[in-house]
Amino acid sequence: MNFNESVTKTNLARSFAAECQAGARYQFMSKMALQDQRQFLSDTMKTLAKNEMAHAKIFYDYIIEKSEGTVKNISIEAGYPYVEPELKCSLLEESRIELAEADNIYPSFARIAKDEGFDDIARSFEMIAGVEQTHHKILEYLGTLYKGNRLYKRENPTEWKCSSCGHVDISKEGFKQCPLCHVAQGYIIIDLEKELREQN
């Protein structure tokens, strides 16, 4: 199929716009976390923003490559989310957006790309859907902890590591201030991968 006449071209443009917007929202959330003295949360949001911008670049590059540089503008119509500008709400709202991309939007775009003969694009949509599923889990977990004021509290003893000096404590609650270098609690590293694995 001619790429310039494909639905896939439009889907790539929609996805590019969505990923750019997600990257921007995550950068906004990173700044909010810093204002709340949550350095680890800020760093996590920066990483997610970086991931989203990498996805945007993949979609952008496909448009340039497949159109052989002939596409100068693509008109798209789509809804884009604007979430509550408060961390305890926006983390959970963003988790739902990531889930929709992972379970519905990108798998659908992958099927269309495959049907139109763009197997490489279909594979990219499928792989990005997998990353968005991970983003969903991270954001849902952090959002639930943050909303319940349990970001630094656990039912069982947990390792709390200072990202500044490396000091480690094992307890049910993270230190309010690092006993070694005295930075705020927000510098504690949360081992998200380990905690998410233990939930499954």
PDB file of all heavy atoms in Angstrom, residues 135-159:
ATOM      1  N   HIS A 135       4.882   1.427  32.058  1.00  0.00           N
ATOM      2  CA  HIS A 135       4.618   2.781  32.566  1.00  0.00           C
ATOM      3  C   HIS A 135       3.322   2.804  33.381  1.00  0.00           C
ATOM      4  O   HIS A 135       3.256   3.438  34.440  1.00  0.00           O
ATOM      5  CB  HIS A 135       4.496   3.779  31.424  1.00  0.00           C
ATOM      6  CG  HIS A 135       5.791   4.104  30.761  1.00  0.00           C
ATOM      7  ND1 HIS A 135       5.888   5.023  29.739  1.00  0.00           N
ATOM      8  CD2 HIS A 135       7.055   3.636  30.957  1.00  0.00           C
ATOM      9  CE1 HIS A 135       7.137   5.116  29.335  1.00  0.00           C
ATOM     10  NE2 HIS A 135       7.868   4.276  30.060  1.00  0.00           N
ATOM     11  N   HIS A 136       2.292   2.126  32.866  1.00  0.00           N
ATOM     12  CA  HIS A 136       1.009   2.053  33.581  1.00  0.00           C
ATOM     13  C   HIS A 136       1.215   1.494  34.992  1.00  0.00           C
ATOM     14  O   HIS A 136       0.730   2.063  35.972  1.00  0.00           O
ATOM     15  CB  HIS A 136       0.014   1.192  32.801  1.00  0.00           C
ATOM     16  CG  HIS A 136      -1.053   0.588  33.648  1.00  0.00           C
ATOM     17  ND1 HIS A 136      -2.042   1.340  34.258  1.00  0.00           N
ATOM     18  CD2 HIS A 136      -1.275  -0.684  34.030  1.00  0.00           C
ATOM     19  CE1 HIS A 136      -2.821   0.543  34.968  1.00  0.00           C
ATOM     20  NE2 HIS A 136      -2.374  -0.686  34.839  1.00  0.00           N
ATOM     21  N   LYS A 137       1.942   0.391  35.089  1.00  0.00           N
ATOM     22  CA  LYS A 137       2.148  -0.250  36.388  1.00  0.00           C
ATOM     23  C   LYS A 137       2.920   0.657  37.346  1.00  0.00           C
ATOM     24  O   LYS A 137       2.582   0.761  38.525  1.00  0.00           O
ATOM     25  CB  LYS A 137       2.883  -1.580  36.213  1.00  0.00           C
ATOM     26  CG  LYS A 137       2.030  -2.646  35.550  1.00  0.00           C
ATOM     27  CD  LYS A 137       2.823  -3.917  35.305  1.00  0.00           C
ATOM     28  CE  LYS A 137       1.979  -4.951  34.578  1.00  0.00           C
ATOM     29  NZ  LYS A 137       2.768  -6.136  34.224  1.00  0.00           N
ATOM     30  N   ILE A 138       3.961   1.317  36.839  1.00  0.00           N
ATOM     31  CA  ILE A 138       4.759   2.225  37.667  1.00  0.00           C
ATOM     32  C   ILE A 138       3.899   3.380  38.180  1.00  0.00           C
ATOM     33  O   ILE A 138       3.891   3.699  39.369  1.00  0.00           O
ATOM     34  CB  ILE A 138       5.977   2.759  36.880  1.00  0.00           C
ATOM     35  CG1 ILE A 138       6.999   1.640  36.652  1.00  0.00           C
ATOM     36  CG2 ILE A 138       6.615   3.952  37.581  1.00  0.00           C
ATOM     37  CD1 ILE A 138       8.093   1.989  35.669  1.00  0.00           C
ATOM     38  N   LEU A 139       3.165   4.009  37.266  1.00  0.00           N
ATOM     39  CA  LEU A 139       2.359   5.173  37.642  1.00  0.00           C
ATOM     40  C   LEU A 139       1.213   4.797  38.576  1.00  0.00           C
ATOM     41  O   LEU A 139       0.908   5.539  39.520  1.00  0.00           O
ATOM     42  CB  LEU A 139       1.821   5.861  36.384  1.00  0.00           C
ATOM     43  CG  LEU A 139       2.891   6.565  35.544  1.00  0.00           C
ATOM     44  CD1 LEU A 139       2.369   6.867  34.152  1.00  0.00           C
ATOM     45  CD2 LEU A 139       3.376   7.832  36.234  1.00  0.00           C
ATOM     46  N   GLU A 140       0.597   3.650  38.328  1.00  0.00           N
ATOM     47  CA  GLU A 140      -0.498   3.201  39.196  1.00  0.00           C
ATOM     48  C   GLU A 140       0.026   2.930  40.608  1.00  0.00           C
ATOM     49  O   GLU A 140      -0.588   3.341  41.605  1.00  0.00           O
ATOM     50  CB  GLU A 140      -1.150   1.951  38.619  1.00  0.00           C
ATOM     51  CG  GLU A 140      -2.317   1.442  39.448  1.00  0.00           C
ATOM     52  CD  GLU A 140      -2.928   0.193  38.860  1.00  0.00           C
ATOM     53  OE1 GLU A 140      -2.182  -0.791  38.626  1.00  0.00           O
ATOM     54  OE2 GLU A 140      -4.140   0.203  38.630  1.00  0.00           O
ATOM     55  N   TYR A 141       1.162   2.259  40.685  1.00  0.00           N
ATOM     56  CA  TYR A 141       1.747   1.930  41.986  1.00  0.00           C
ATOM     57  C   TYR A 141       2.142   3.200  42.739  1.00  0.00           C
ATOM     58  O   TYR A 141       1.765   3.398  43.903  1.00  0.00           O
ATOM     59  CB  TYR A 141       2.955   1.013  41.781  1.00  0.00           C
ATOM     60  CG  TYR A 141       3.605   0.543  43.049  1.00  0.00           C
ATOM     61  CD1 TYR A 141       2.905  -0.230  43.971  1.00  0.00           C
ATOM     62  CD2 TYR A 141       4.925   0.863  43.337  1.00  0.00           C
ATOM     63  CE1 TYR A 141       3.509  -0.672  45.144  1.00  0.00           C
ATOM     64  CE2 TYR A 141       5.533   0.425  44.507  1.00  0.00           C
ATOM     65  CZ  TYR A 141       4.819  -0.340  45.405  1.00  0.00           C
ATOM     66  OH  TYR A 141       5.412  -0.776  46.563  1.00  0.00           O
ATOM     67  N   LEU A 142       2.880   4.080  42.068  1.00  0.00           N
ATOM     68  CA  LEU A 142       3.300   5.326  42.711  1.00  0.00           C
ATOM     69  C   LEU A 142       2.101   6.188  43.084  1.00  0.00           C
ATOM     70  O   LEU A 142       2.060   6.795  44.154  1.00  0.00           O
ATOM     71  CB  LEU A 142       4.244   6.107  41.792  1.00  0.00           C
ATOM     72  CG  LEU A 142       5.646   5.545  41.626  1.00  0.00           C
ATOM     73  CD1 LEU A 142       6.409   6.325  40.565  1.00  0.00           C
ATOM     74  CD2 LEU A 142       6.399   5.564  42.950  1.00  0.00           C
ATOM     75  N   GLY A 143       1.119   6.250  42.191  1.00  0.00           N
ATOM     76  CA  GLY A 143      -0.077   7.050  42.452  1.00  0.00           C
ATOM     77  C   GLY A 143      -0.848   6.551  43.648  1.00  0.00           C
ATOM     78  O   GLY A 143      -1.318   7.342  44.476  1.00  0.00           O
ATOM     79  N   THR A 144      -0.980   5.230  43.772  1.00  0.00           N
ATOM     80  CA  THR A 144      -1.693   4.637  44.908  1.00  0.00           C
ATOM     81  C   THR A 144      -0.945   4.917  46.208  1.00  0.00           C
ATOM     82  O   THR A 144      -1.547   5.306  47.216  1.00  0.00           O
ATOM     83  CB  THR A 144      -1.867   3.122  44.697  1.00  0.00           C
ATOM     84  OG1 THR A 144      -2.601   2.905  43.491  1.00  0.00           O
ATOM     85  CG2 THR A 144      -2.606   2.485  45.858  1.00  0.00           C
ATOM     86  N   LEU A 145       0.382   4.734  46.194  1.00  0.00           N
ATOM     87  CA  LEU A 145       1.185   5.020  47.380  1.00  0.00           C
ATOM     88  C   LEU A 145       1.106   6.497  47.754  1.00  0.00           C
ATOM     89  O   LEU A 145       0.904   6.851  48.915  1.00  0.00           O
ATOM     90  CB  LEU A 145       2.654   4.633  47.148  1.00  0.00           C
ATOM     91  CG  LEU A 145       2.978   3.152  47.041  1.00  0.00           C
ATOM     92  CD1 LEU A 145       4.450   2.965  46.655  1.00  0.00           C
ATOM     93  CD2 LEU A 145       2.674   2.422  48.339  1.00  0.00           C
ATOM     94  N   TYR A 146       1.259   7.358  46.757  1.00  0.00           N
ATOM     95  CA  TYR A 146       1.296   8.799  47.006  1.00  0.00           C
ATOM     96  C   TYR A 146      -0.047   9.298  47.533  1.00  0.00           C
ATOM     97  O   TYR A 146      -0.098  10.065  48.503  1.00  0.00           O
ATOM     98  CB  TYR A 146       1.667   9.530  45.717  1.00  0.00           C
ATOM     99  CG  TYR A 146       2.087  10.965  45.917  1.00  0.00           C
ATOM    100  CD1 TYR A 146       3.395  11.279  46.240  1.00  0.00           C
ATOM    101  CD2 TYR A 146       1.173  12.008  45.777  1.00  0.00           C
ATOM    102  CE1 TYR A 146       3.794  12.592  46.427  1.00  0.00           C
ATOM    103  CE2 TYR A 146       1.563  13.321  45.968  1.00  0.00           C
ATOM    104  CZ  TYR A 146       2.873  13.601  46.285  1.00  0.00           C
ATOM    105  OH  TYR A 146       3.260  14.900  46.485  1.00  0.00           O
ATOM    106  N   LYS A 147      -1.116   8.840  46.907  1.00  0.00           N
ATOM    107  CA  LYS A 147      -2.447   9.278  47.325  1.00  0.00           C
ATOM    108  C   LYS A 147      -2.761   8.820  48.746  1.00  0.00           C
ATOM    109  O   LYS A 147      -3.400   9.538  49.515  1.00  0.00           O
ATOM    110  CB  LYS A 147      -3.506   8.745  46.357  1.00  0.00           C
ATOM    111  CG  LYS A 147      -4.870   9.358  46.565  1.00  0.00           C
ATOM    112  CD  LYS A 147      -5.829   8.979  45.463  1.00  0.00           C
ATOM    113  CE  LYS A 147      -7.159   9.680  45.669  1.00  0.00           C
ATOM    114  NZ  LYS A 147      -8.101   9.368  44.603  1.00  0.00           N
ATOM    115  N   GLY A 148      -2.298   7.629  49.115  1.00  0.00           N
ATOM    116  CA  GLY A 148      -2.533   7.098  50.456  1.00  0.00           C
ATOM    117  C   GLY A 148      -1.479   7.512  51.473  1.00  0.00           C
ATOM    118  O   GLY A 148      -1.436   6.973  52.571  1.00  0.00           O
ATOM    119  N   ASN A 149      -0.613   8.479  51.082  1.00  0.00           N
ATOM    120  CA  ASN A 149       0.461   8.946  51.961  1.00  0.00           C
ATOM    121  C   ASN A 149       1.340   7.784  52.440  1.00  0.00           C
ATOM    122  O   ASN A 149       1.726   7.712  53.602  1.00  0.00           O
ATOM    123  CB  ASN A 149      -0.103   9.729  53.154  1.00  0.00           C
ATOM    124  CG  ASN A 149       0.957  10.581  53.820  1.00  0.00           C
ATOM    125  OD1 ASN A 149       1.939  10.962  53.196  1.00  0.00           O
ATOM    126  ND2 ASN A 149       0.777  10.854  55.099  1.00  0.00           N
ATOM    127  N   ARG A 150       1.624   6.833  51.516  1.00  0.00           N
ATOM    128  CA  ARG A 150       2.420   5.656  51.854  1.00  0.00           C
ATOM    129  C   ARG A 150       3.647   5.507  50.955  1.00  0.00           C
ATOM    130  O   ARG A 150       4.194   4.432  50.813  1.00  0.00           O
ATOM    131  CB  ARG A 150       1.547   4.390  51.746  1.00  0.00           C
ATOM    132  CG  ARG A 150       0.418   4.337  52.757  1.00  0.00           C
ATOM    133  CD  ARG A 150      -0.391   3.046  52.676  1.00  0.00           C
ATOM    134  NE  ARG A 150      -1.031   2.883  51.373  1.00  0.00           N
ATOM    135  CZ  ARG A 150      -0.777   1.880  50.526  1.00  0.00           C
ATOM    136  NH1 ARG A 150       0.079   0.931  50.828  1.00  0.00           N
ATOM    137  NH2 ARG A 150      -1.408   1.804  49.369  1.00  0.00           N
ATOM    138  N   LEU A 151       4.072   6.609  50.341  1.00  0.00           N
ATOM    139  CA  LEU A 151       5.210   6.534  49.432  1.00  0.00           C
ATOM    140  C   LEU A 151       6.443   5.981  50.145  1.00  0.00           C
ATOM    141  O   LEU A 151       7.215   5.219  49.567  1.00  0.00           O
ATOM    142  CB  LEU A 151       5.503   7.918  48.846  1.00  0.00           C
ATOM    143  CG  LEU A 151       6.359   7.988  47.593  1.00  0.00           C
ATOM    144  CD1 LEU A 151       5.777   7.162  46.456  1.00  0.00           C
ATOM    145  CD2 LEU A 151       6.549   9.428  47.152  1.00  0.00           C
ATOM    146  N   TYR A 152       6.601   6.327  51.418  1.00  0.00           N
ATOM    147  CA  TYR A 152       7.766   5.873  52.179  1.00  0.00           C
ATOM    148  C   TYR A 152       7.356   5.031  53.375  1.00  0.00           C
ATOM    149  O   TYR A 152       8.023   5.032  54.410  1.00  0.00           O
ATOM    150  CB  TYR A 152       8.611   7.073  52.607  1.00  0.00           C
ATOM    151  CG  TYR A 152       9.141   7.825  51.415  1.00  0.00           C
ATOM    152  CD1 TYR A 152       8.598   9.053  51.054  1.00  0.00           C
ATOM    153  CD2 TYR A 152      10.148   7.290  50.629  1.00  0.00           C
ATOM    154  CE1 TYR A 152       9.073   9.734  49.946  1.00  0.00           C
ATOM    155  CE2 TYR A 152      10.620   7.956  49.520  1.00  0.00           C
ATOM    156  CZ  TYR A 152      10.078   9.183  49.174  1.00  0.00           C
ATOM    157  OH  TYR A 152      10.537   9.842  48.073  1.00  0.00           O
ATOM    158  N   LYS A 153       6.274   4.284  53.237  1.00  0.00           N
ATOM    159  CA  LYS A 153       5.816   3.375  54.294  1.00  0.00           C
ATOM    160  C   LYS A 153       5.456   2.042  53.655  1.00  0.00           C
ATOM    161  O   LYS A 153       4.828   2.001  52.607  1.00  0.00           O
ATOM    162  CB  LYS A 153       4.577   3.940  55.000  1.00  0.00           C
ATOM    163  CG  LYS A 153       4.836   5.233  55.739  1.00  0.00           C
ATOM    164  CD  LYS A 153       3.562   5.779  56.352  1.00  0.00           C
ATOM    165  CE  LYS A 153       3.824   7.128  56.992  1.00  0.00           C
ATOM    166  NZ  LYS A 153       2.612   7.777  57.452  1.00  0.00           N
ATOM    167  N   ARG A 154       5.833   0.932  54.316  1.00  0.00           N
ATOM    168  CA  ARG A 154       5.511  -0.402  53.836  1.00  0.00           C
ATOM    169  C   ARG A 154       5.040  -1.250  55.008  1.00  0.00           C
ATOM    170  O   ARG A 154       5.344  -0.972  56.168  1.00  0.00           O
ATOM    171  CB  ARG A 154       6.722  -1.070  53.179  1.00  0.00           C
ATOM    172  CG  ARG A 154       7.287  -0.340  51.974  1.00  0.00           C
ATOM    173  CD  ARG A 154       6.314  -0.293  50.802  1.00  0.00           C
ATOM    174  NE  ARG A 154       6.894   0.378  49.654  1.00  0.00           N
ATOM    175  CZ  ARG A 154       6.851   1.688  49.441  1.00  0.00           C
ATOM    176  NH1 ARG A 154       6.271   2.488  50.309  1.00  0.00           N
ATOM    177  NH2 ARG A 154       7.394   2.229  48.366  1.00  0.00           N
ATOM    178  N   GLU A 155       4.337  -2.328  54.704  1.00  0.00           N
ATOM    179  CA  GLU A 155       3.868  -3.236  55.761  1.00  0.00           C
ATOM    180  C   GLU A 155       4.997  -4.089  56.318  1.00  0.00           C
ATOM    181  O   GLU A 155       4.964  -4.489  57.477  1.00  0.00           O
ATOM    182  CB  GLU A 155       2.746  -4.130  55.214  1.00  0.00           C
ATOM    183  CG  GLU A 155       1.467  -3.375  54.921  1.00  0.00           C
ATOM    184  CD  GLU A 155       0.375  -4.272  54.370  1.00  0.00           C
ATOM    185  OE1 GLU A 155       0.527  -5.507  54.410  1.00  0.00           O
ATOM    186  OE2 GLU A 155      -0.638  -3.722  53.890  1.00  0.00           O
ATOM    187  N   ASN A 156       5.975  -4.385  55.488  1.00  0.00           N
ATOM    188  CA  ASN A 156       7.118  -5.211  55.900  1.00  0.00           C
ATOM    189  C   ASN A 156       8.403  -4.388  55.840  1.00  0.00           C
ATOM    190  O   ASN A 156       8.478  -3.410  55.085  1.00  0.00           O
ATOM    191  CB  ASN A 156       7.252  -6.434  54.979  1.00  0.00           C
ATOM    192  CG  ASN A 156       6.037  -7.331  55.054  1.00  0.00           C
ATOM    193  OD1 ASN A 156       5.572  -7.661  56.140  1.00  0.00           O
ATOM    194  ND2 ASN A 156       5.500  -7.704  53.901  1.00  0.00           N
ATOM    195  N   PRO A 157       9.419  -4.788  56.595  1.00  0.00           N
ATOM    196  CA  PRO A 157      10.692  -4.072  56.512  1.00  0.00           C
ATOM    197  C   PRO A 157      11.199  -4.027  55.067  1.00  0.00           C
ATOM    198  O   PRO A 157      11.144  -5.015  54.335  1.00  0.00           O
ATOM    199  CB  PRO A 157      11.621  -4.904  57.402  1.00  0.00           C
ATOM    200  CG  PRO A 157      10.705  -5.552  58.385  1.00  0.00           C
ATOM    201  CD  PRO A 157       9.449  -5.850  57.607  1.00  0.00           C
ATOM    202  N   THR A 158      11.654  -2.855  54.685  1.00  0.00           N
ATOM    203  CA  THR A 158      12.069  -2.583  53.314  1.00  0.00           C
ATOM    204  C   THR A 158      13.405  -1.864  53.333  1.00  0.00           C
ATOM    205  O   THR A 158      13.718  -1.148  54.280  1.00  0.00           O
ATOM    206  CB  THR A 158      11.001  -1.686  52.625  1.00  0.00           C
ATOM    207  OG1 THR A 158       9.771  -2.388  52.597  1.00  0.00           O
ATOM    208  CG2 THR A 158      11.384  -1.320  51.209  1.00  0.00           C
ATOM    209  N   GLU A 159      14.158  -2.035  52.264  1.00  0.00           N
ATOM    210  CA  GLU A 159      15.434  -1.330  52.149  1.00  0.00           C
ATOM    211  C   GLU A 159      15.181   0.083  51.631  1.00  0.00           C
ATOM    212  O   GLU A 159      14.569   0.264  50.588  1.00  0.00           O
ATOM    213  CB  GLU A 159      16.361  -2.069  51.194  1.00  0.00           C
ATOM    214  CG  GLU A 159      17.717  -1.394  51.031  1.00  0.00           C
ATOM    215  CD  GLU A 159      18.649  -2.178  50.139  1.00  0.00           C
ATOM    216  OE1 GLU A 159      19.105  -3.254  50.566  1.00  0.00           O
ATOM    217  OE2 GLU A 159      18.912  -1.704  49.013  1.00  0.00           O
TER     218      GLU A 159
END
